[in-house]
Structure formats: structure tokens, C-alpha cells
Amino acid sequence: MTNPSADRRDFLTGRLAQQIAAEAALRSADLPTTEVPTRGPVLLLQTTAMACHFDVILNPDGPALQVEAASEALDLVHQLEAMMTIYRPEAELAIINQTAALEPVEVSGELFDLLIEARDLVAKTEGAFDPTTGPLIAVWRTARKEGRLPSTAELEAARQLTGMDQIQLDVASKTVRYRQPGVELNLGAIGKGYAVDCAGRHLSSRGIDHWLVHGGKSSVLALGDHAGHGGWPVGLRDPLLPQHSWGTILLKNQALGTSGTAAQGFRVGGRRYGHILDPRTGWPVENVLSVSVLTARAALADALSTAFFVLGVEKTRLLCDNSTDVGVLLFTQSSRQTAAEATIINVPPEILYPARSPAASF
């Protein structure tokens, strides 16, 4: 059995004082004054899956087979949706949710490996990322439709059905079993990123060296060069003014995952509640506006952006201390209430550029 505390130490260790100093220096300095990298001519292939657009973006001077490879990559996204969705009764994950409380369900190797990764991320993020929050989401969805807040009893009943301790994953038999009826898995906080990763791997396997893939613009993975920039420029929107740009990040063989509540939420009694829940309390997270995570894989970036949104600034800083392969841009409400305050952790200043129109980058 793994030791969650040891996992967390392996994942995140070390030099908090240096990190705070570096972050303060970066935040107090101007972003680079060099010209902002902008989008050049591209080829774009798009499909709709997982309730959003998935795009493969290519340089127009790439190899002749790149369009065929991109089309295959988008077909793969649809296959993965058919595996991971909970909204189609014939999908593999939906079948698991329907029957795993009754008996162990054998799972395909690909999905089982993703469930193992999700379980490990729950431990590493101290429960801030949790793929079992479906019952809590359902309670809040009902309350939203009725224009009210959930009752304490409703939330407590839902919380009894959540947590990875409700899920039994048998590695030897690759089976899943739920401890009681009403438990469910939902991979919405990692599934898009996983599909983006798989699409990117397919492109690389076909010999395509320069591309950007995104799912709903919130899950992005880029490889190679665009327009001579040494990477792909990706626009970061202001979380309080989504029609405006906060800045541009040059994505260099990395993934970018973003979680935010600007587009989803509801009001009760004059107070706004976002859609991202803290699995540990059952209540929507407050004060955090948006989190973007830079790391090697889109699935990990997606999951960590959700986890760090829940954990907030100080806990995220502690977890990312000395972890140079995870960068974070975390936006909170400033004291003026009219601006977003950025906390920047492990993001090299040379890949950040000042605000420019969102049309200037991907």
C-alpha cells in the first residue's frame, strides 16, 4: 500500500523561501517588453466532442500526411469519449457506474490505468482533486434549478457517497467495485486532457513534429515550433473580463490546463456561487477565480488545475515548492474587487508576455 504522505513528499518538496522570493520578484517586475509572439497562418481541423470543440492546429508547411494524421487524432477523441462519458448508457464508464455497486466490473486496460492515475492524484492533492463528486454535483444542480442552496442534510447524504475510499480497484483482475449504490465516477476534470494527450501522441507517432491540440481551449498541448517563435503562443484571458486578454504564454512542448468559474455559476440571495466544488466540504470554492497549470501532460495539467483551484494560493505554493515541472498561474479577487491578482509559481518569465487582444494567439 502506498503512503500518501510519502507520495506528497516525492511530488512536492523543498525550497519555500526561495520560491516566495522568486515569485515576488516576478510579480513585481514588468512582463517582458519584447514583441508578443502572435499567430501565423495555420491549418485547423475541428470536431465536437465532450461538449466542446477539439482542435488540431498545424503549420501549413508541414508534411503532406499531417491533415490525414490530424483527422485520425480527432477520430480517436470520439473513441475516448465513448469510453469515458457518463452520459451515454452504452459507454464503458457509464456501465461501470450502473453495475459496480452490484459486482466487480472488468475494465479495459486503458481506462483502468486512467482510474489508477486519478486515484493517485486524489492522494497527492489531499482530496482536492476527486473524481467521485458526482452525488455532490447532482445536489447542487437540483438546488440551482430550484433557485436555492442545498440543505445540510442533502450535502451530508451526498458526501457519504463520495471519496476514493468508496472505490475498490483490483490491479490483478483490472476490476472496479463500488462499496455502495449511489457511488459514481466522473472523469470530467481529467478526461479532456487525457483525450488531448492521446491525440498528441497519435500525431507524433505519425511523424508530425509541430502541432497544437486543444479541447475547449481549457486543455492544451503543444509540440514544436510555430511561426519561428520556438513554441506556440496561447492567450490567457482575464478571469474577470473574459473578453479581454491577461497576457500570452509561449507553450514549449508542454500542456496547459485551466479551471475557472467565469462562465458557470448561479446566484442565490444576491451571492454568486461557482461550479467548482471543494470535495472535502461539498461547497463551491470561493475567492479563487481561475487557475492555469503548466506541465508535461494535459491530463495532469487538467487535474492539477482543479486541485489547485480548491487548495488556494498558500497550499498550492507549498505543494509546488521546488517542483520545477509544474508551473501555476493562480488568479484571485483583488482587494479592489475590480481586478484579478495573479500568483505566479514556477513559470519562467521569458515565456510570459503582456496583454494583447485574444485574437493575437490561440
Side-chain angles (χ1 to χ4, degrees), residues 12-348:
L12 310 159
T13 58
R15 299 175 308 180
L16 179 57
Q18 292 93 327
Q19 173 58 52
I20 293 173
E23 177 194 327
L26 181 56
R27 286 166 56 188
S28 64
D30 291 334
L31 291 177
T33 57
T34 54
E35 185 176 354
V36 179
T38 57
R39 179 172 66 186
V42 298
L43 295 174
L44 184 150
L45 280 77
Q46 183 179 91
T47 193
T48 300
M50 304 184 191
C52 68
H53 291 311
F54 274 78
D55 289 359
V56 175
I57 302 173
L58 306 163
N59 293 323
D61 58 352
L65 60 78
Q66 68 176 352
V67 172
E68 178 183 350
S71 180
E72 293 166 352
L74 292 176
D75 287 341
L76 179 59
V77 170
H78 287 285
Q79 296 171 27
L80 293 169
E81 180 181 26
M83 177 183 76
M84 296 185 292
T85 183
I86 62 171
Y87 301 109
R88 301 178 190 172
E90 73 279 8
E92 184 175 7
L93 188 58
I95 292 172
I96 292 171
N97 283 340
Q98 294 161 17
T99 59
L102 304 174
E103 59 184 2
V105 180
E106 189 172 350
V107 181
S108 65
E110 185 174 20
L111 181 56
F112 192 83
D113 289 345
L114 183 58
L115 294 179
I116 291 292
E117 179 175 13
R119 180 198 65 186
D120 293 345
L121 283 168
V122 171
K124 289 174 180 178
T125 63
E126 303 177 4
F129 167 79
D130 191 336
T132 71
T133 55
L136 286 168
I137 293 170
V139 166
W140 279 94
R141 185 181 297 121
T142 297
R144 177 177 182 172
K145 289 179 180 178
E146 297 174 356
R148 62 177 179 84
L149 295 177
S151 68
T152 301
E154 287 175 314
L155 290 175
E156 185 56 33
R159 289 184 63 204
Q160 296 303 312
L161 299 172
T162 64
M164 280 304 292
D165 60 338
Q166 298 287 340
I167 311 293
Q168 297 174 307
L169 298 173
D170 190 309
V171 175
S173 61
K174 283 189 166 51
T175 59
V176 178
R177 178 71 188 266
Y178 296 170
R179 294 189 182 277
Q180 59 178 318
V183 174
E184 69 173 58
L185 284 163
N186 185 331
L187 297 175
I190 195 173
K192 277 196 303 181
Y194 180 74
V196 166
D197 286 333
C198 292
R201 281 198 299 271
H202 181 78
L203 290 169
S204 293
S205 74
R206 296 277 269 135
I208 314 303
D209 297 325
H210 307 282
W211 45 260
L212 181 144
V213 180
H214 77 70
K217 298 187 183 295
S218 62
S219 304
V220 187
L221 180 66
L223 183 73
D225 175 69
H226 173 69
H229 297 310
W232 292 76
V234 175
L236 299 172
R237 295 184 182 274
D238 187 311
L240 286 177
L241 300 167
Q243 70 275 24
H244 293 89
S245 175
W246 178 84
T248 295
I249 191 164
L250 190 62
L251 207 56
K252 299 182 176 184
N253 303 330
Q254 279 188 305
L256 180 73
T258 299
S259 294
T261 57
Q264 298 187 57
F266 73 108
R267 290 186 175 275
V268 175
R271 184 172 180 178
R272 186 180 186 277
Y273 296 86
H275 73 287
I276 298 179
L277 304 179
D278 184 336
R280 303 163 301 179
T281 66
W283 280 86
V285 179
E286 296 186 282
N287 301 321
V288 178
L289 299 171
S290 175
V291 177
S292 293
V293 171
L294 275 168
T295 192
R297 294 183 297 112
L300 180 59
D302 275 7
L304 291 181
S305 69
T306 299
F308 294 161
F309 193 101
V310 171
L311 291 171
V313 173
E314 295 309 319
K315 191 65 174 178
T316 295
R317 195 194 332 260
L318 285 169
L319 290 183
C320 288
D321 177 30
N322 202 33
S323 182
T324 57
D325 58 345
V326 178
V328 184
L329 288 160
L330 194 153
F331 293 89
T332 52
Q333 188 93 46
S334 74
S335 57
R336 293 176 291 155
Q337 299 295 312
T338 58
E341 181 176 344
T343 297
I344 304 170
I345 305 170
N346 291 343
V347 179

